[in-house]
Amino acid sequence: MIITGFKAARTKPLTTAKKQINKMIAAERAACEHAFAHLKNWRILTKLRLHARHATTLLRALLILTNPEIAR
């Protein structure tokens, strides 16, 4: 499922609830983008040749080790 934000029209501003939803989506997006940026520092991942299930497990472990805030 893909969740997208709300866009205000020129004549109709966003409601408070829609603004809060946009903020929540932005916060999640920022966390994901930071996580991918941290993973790019692990250059060994460019040579990774594993099954997708094993690679996912490895990436999750690396994220937890590199950024303790994600583990919360």
Side-chain angles (χ1 to χ4, degrees), residues 23-37:
K23 285 183 182 182
M24 289 173 46
I25 291 171
E28 287 297 320
R29 182 181 298 127
C32 292
E33 288 178 1
H34 283 110
F36 280 115

Side-chain angles (χ1 to χ4, degrees), residues 30-45:
C32 292
E33 288 178 1
H34 283 110
F36 280 115
H38 286 296
L39 286 175
K40 287 180 182 180
N41 289 332
W42 293 75
R43 295 179 193 266
I44 192 69
L45 295 178

Side-chain angles (χ1 to χ4, degrees), residues 12-71:
K12 187 176 179 185
L14 291 178
T15 64
T16 305
K18 288 183 179 181
K19 286 181 183 179
Q20 287 178 337
I21 290 170
N22 282 348
K23 285 183 182 182
M24 289 173 46
I25 291 171
E28 287 297 320
R29 182 181 298 127
C32 292
E33 288 178 1
H34 283 110
F36 280 115
H38 286 296
L39 286 175
K40 287 180 182 180
N41 289 332
W42 293 75
R43 295 179 193 266
I44 192 69
L45 295 178
T46 60
K47 299 177 182 178
L48 191 65
R49 302 288 183 258
L50 293 175
H51 189 273
R53 180 179 31 178
H54 300 298
T56 303
T57 305
L58 176 63
L59 292 176
R60 285 180 182 166
L62 287 174
L63 280 175
I64 290 171
L65 290 173
T66 57
N67 193 352
E69 289 184 16
I70 293 174

